[in-house]
């Protein structure tokens, strides 16, 4: 984006994705997205105005400072439901204004300095505008060619100049940055993520937020038999993920004593599966209190002994709420790539003492029988224990950008 312009105003143009396919429910998704945008931008300290057109949202920074527009654009790259974020110029609805804005932008683009090819991509959302899209392309393209001597390449240009004629103004922009896509957070309900300190569960949380779920987080620590490191790690992970939804809540359950009871109540090989069933039962109690409609885990089929198909079936049997496993078909490399992209991998790789290490058997069961697990739970009085564990939760509210 040029640092200054005498004929227009810098702003942000947001392109929407599957929201535009929602038919009669589309307005609800758009309203949810607008609310999420306003909430996200509140943390920037920039006073903004937004309005919606067909398939796009325009965000203006009051005062029109380029630095404020850039701050707004960067923050909106993390908002679910937005496909592309364009830094653009909003100019008068004249051929002269759009041409001058295009020249300003091309003049400061790196591809132009290297003599790269260009194309003009005009679009008239307002069909009343007397100049056709083809005529706009020819007029603006000719001006760019004359001033900079750049070759035209309509199929694969090094630089694309987009010009969109709207109802009251024209938007001119070059590059866009990818948004998160998906659906606005909150448009698909609520879920509770079982958040370990590992690589998988943060990615699972992200993928469900991207499908419109607002998520809460539940972490089981090994305290009082481990230190608080895993809690700090879970807190840091949720704080990073909070950029995608805001107002995140992390619930922490001290699980060490319950693990001791599991260890004394059944066979060593079943301890991990019995533990995970108790975690799910506790999560279900908390989810029902929070009105969350599903539990979310980072399970990936076959990744570890507890994630065989038989053992996943045994885990499903522990609760009535649906268990969503958005990573079930992904391998570790794909999950790590996703974690790196969303900013959680470096946190997940920090050392900590996970509560699961307290029960790790030498030969974990890969095909647990549900009847055996229910027998262990009968000895534990697992339903009552889950209620007690849910009563012991500690609430934390990690906020993105907070120290």
């Amino acid at each position: 984006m040029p640092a200054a312009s005498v004929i227009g105003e810098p702003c942000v143009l947001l392109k929407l994705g599957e929201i535009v396919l929602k038919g009669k429910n589309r307005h609800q998704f758009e309203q949810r997205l607008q609310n999420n945008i306003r909430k996200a931008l509140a943390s920037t300290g920039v006073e903004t105005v937004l309005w919606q057109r067909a398939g796009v949202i325009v965000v203006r920074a009051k005062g029109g400072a380029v630095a404020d527009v850039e701050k707004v654009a960067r923050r909106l790259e993390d908002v679910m439901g937005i496909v592309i974020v364009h830094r653009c110029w909003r100019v008068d609805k004249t051929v002269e204004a759009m041409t001058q804005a295009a020249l300003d932008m091309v003049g400061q683009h790196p591809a132009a300095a290297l003599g790269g090819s260009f194309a003009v991509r005009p679009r008239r959302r307002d069909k009343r505008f007397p100049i056709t899209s083809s005529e706009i392309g020819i007029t603006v393209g000719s001006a760019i060619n004359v001033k900079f001597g750049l070759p035209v390449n309509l199929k694969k240009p090094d630089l694309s100049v987009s010009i969109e004629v709207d109802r009251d103004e024209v938007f001119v922009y070059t590059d866009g940055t990818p948004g998160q896509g998906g659906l606005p957070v909150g448009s698909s309900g609520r879920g509770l993520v079982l958040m370990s300190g590992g690589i998988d569960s943060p990615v699972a949380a992200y993928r469900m937020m991207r499908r419109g779920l607002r998520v809460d987080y539940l972490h089981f620590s090994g305290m009082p038999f481990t230190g608080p490191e895993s809690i700090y790690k879970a807190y840091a992970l949720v704080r990073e993920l909070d950029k995608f939804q805001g107002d995140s809540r992390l619930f922490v359950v001290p699980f060490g004593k319950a693990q001791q009871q599991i260890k004394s109540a059944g066979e060593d090989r079943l301890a991990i599966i019995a533990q995970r069933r108790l975690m799910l039962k506790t999560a279900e109690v908390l989810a029902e209190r929070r009105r969350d409609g599903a539990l979310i885990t980072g399970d990936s089929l076959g990744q570890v002994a507890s994630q065989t198909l038989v053992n996943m079936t045994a885990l499903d049997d522990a609760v009535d709420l649906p268990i969503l496993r958005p990573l079930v078909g992904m391998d570790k490399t794909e999950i790590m790539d996703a974690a790196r992209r969303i900013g959680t991998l470096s946190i997940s790789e920090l050392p900590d003492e996970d509560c699961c290490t307290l029960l790790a058997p030498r030969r974990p069961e890969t095909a647990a029988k549900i009847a055996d697990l229910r027998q262990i739970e009968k000895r534990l009085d697992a339903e009552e224990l889950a209620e007690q564990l849910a009563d012991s939760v500690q609430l934390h509210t990690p906020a993105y950008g907070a120290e």
Side-chain angles (χ1 to χ4, degrees):
M1 175 179 289
S5 174
V6 297
I7 60 169
E9 174 191 20
C11 62
V12 181
L13 187 69
L14 307 174
K15 296 295 182 71
L16 312 185
E18 59 185 293
I19 291 177
V20 302
L21 305 176
K22 290 300 178 182
K24 294 181 180 179
N25 294 326
R26 177 173 168 176
H27 175 72
Q28 299 174 22
F29 287 87
E30 291 175 340
Q31 192 63 51
R32 176 75 66 173
L33 177 57
Q34 291 175 26
N35 291 341
N36 291 351
I37 288 171
R38 291 187 178 96
K39 182 190 294 185
L41 292 181
S43 64
T44 67
V46 178
E47 194 173 356
T48 58
V49 177
L50 68 88
W51 70 86
Q52 183 144 5
R53 297 284 190 263
V56 300
I57 293 177
V58 181
V59 183
R60 297 171 56 201
K62 288 190 175 179
V66 171
D68 286 344
V69 172
E70 180 61 28
K71 187 184 295 186
V72 166
R74 287 199 306 269
R75 185 67 188 93
L76 292 177
E77 289 169 4
D78 292 326
V79 176
M80 304 296 189
I82 298 169
V83 175
I84 304 176
V85 179
H86 290 291
R87 285 85 165 158
C88 73
W89 285 98
R90 173 176 174 260
V91 301
D92 292 339
K93 203 170 175 180
T94 66
V95 174
E96 294 76 16
M98 67 177 74
T99 301
Q100 186 59 54
L103 292 172
D104 288 346
M105 299 190 85
V106 171
Q108 297 189 37
H109 196 283
L114 296 173
S117 61
F118 80 98
V120 177
R121 310 294 193 198
R123 180 184 178 189
R124 289 190 311 161
R125 275 196 289 273
D126 182 2
K127 301 304 182 184
R128 300 169 301 172
F129 191 65
I131 309 299
T132 67
S133 295
S134 296
E135 291 169 337
I136 291 172
I138 292 170
T139 301
V140 176
S142 297
I144 294 172
N145 180 261
V146 168
K147 182 168 184 177
F148 300 104
L150 302 179
V152 175
N153 185 339
L154 298 180
K155 291 186 177 180
K156 197 175 180 181
D158 298 307
L159 164 62
S160 291
V161 180
S162 296
I163 299 174
E164 299 192 5
V165 180
D166 214 320
R167 187 180 66 191
D168 301 313
E169 62 270 295
V170 175
F171 298 102
V172 184
Y173 56 89
T174 53
D175 305 320
T177 53
Q180 299 302 320
L183 298 173
V185 168
S187 61
S188 300
R190 304 178 62 96
L192 179 63
V193 179
L194 278 71
M195 172 67 76
S196 70
I199 296 171
D200 302 339
S201 52
V203 178
Y206 167 83
R207 287 173 68 91
M208 295 317 302
M209 283 188 283
R210 193 169 180 270
R211 298 314 305 155
L213 275 188
R214 167 163 286 279
V215 300
D216 297 317
Y217 301 89
L218 176 59
H219 176 70
F220 293 90
S221 85
M223 294 184 74
F225 304 116
T226 64
E229 290 79 11
S230 76
I231 301 175
Y232 298 152
K233 194 171 175 182
Y235 187 97
L237 287 167
V238 173
R239 182 174 59 187
E240 185 65 25
L241 291 168
D242 186 60
K243 65 189 176 187
F244 299 117
Q245 69 169 15
D247 297 330
S248 296
R249 288 174 169 79
L250 169 65
F251 299 93
V252 177
V253 171
F255 200 59
K257 291 182 178 179
Q259 289 177 295
Q260 279 192 329
Q261 292 176 255
I262 292 170
K263 196 167 186 177
S264 62
E267 298 179 28
D268 183 55
R269 291 186 66 180
L270 292 173
I272 291 293
I273 304 299
Q275 171 184 271
R276 293 204 63 195
R277 281 174 62 101
L278 181 57
M279 288 178 171
L280 289 167
K281 288 179 181 294
T282 304
E284 183 175 51
V285 173
L286 184 61
E288 289 175 345
R289 295 177 184 179
R290 295 278 307 159
R291 296 184 180 178
D292 294 325
L295 306 179
I296 301 155
T297 74
D299 293 344
S300 172
L301 186 61
Q303 186 174 136
V304 295
S306 63
Q307 295 174 14
T308 64
L309 184 58
V310 173
N311 283 349
M312 285 186 183
T313 302
L315 293 174
D316 288 339
D317 172 73
V319 293
D320 293 325
L321 279 179
I323 302 174
L324 305 181
R325 297 181 173 93
L327 312 186
V328 69
M330 298 177 68
D331 64 30
K332 199 65 178 183
T333 300
E334 293 171 318
I335 297 170
M336 290 179 69
D337 287 344
R340 188 178 294 108
R341 187 173 62 253
I342 65 176
T344 59
L345 181 63
S346 60
I347 302 171
S348 295
E349 291 179 332
L350 294 172
D352 72 303
E353 191 173 9
D354 188 272
C355 71
C356 293
T357 60
L358 299 179
L359 280 182
R362 285 182 298 176
R363 294 182 59 198
E365 182 61 68
T366 59
K369 293 182 173 59
I370 292 174
D372 293 340
L373 291 164
R374 288 179 177 176
Q375 193 62 35
I376 294 172
E377 290 168 353
K378 187 175 181 181
R379 291 194 290 269
L380 283 173
D381 193 1
E383 305 297 333
E384 177 60 28
L385 182 54
E387 292 280 352
Q388 294 172 8
L389 288 168
D391 288 340
S392 72
V393 297
Q394 303 158 354
L395 173 62
H396 303 271
T397 54
Y400 176 66
E403 297 297 330

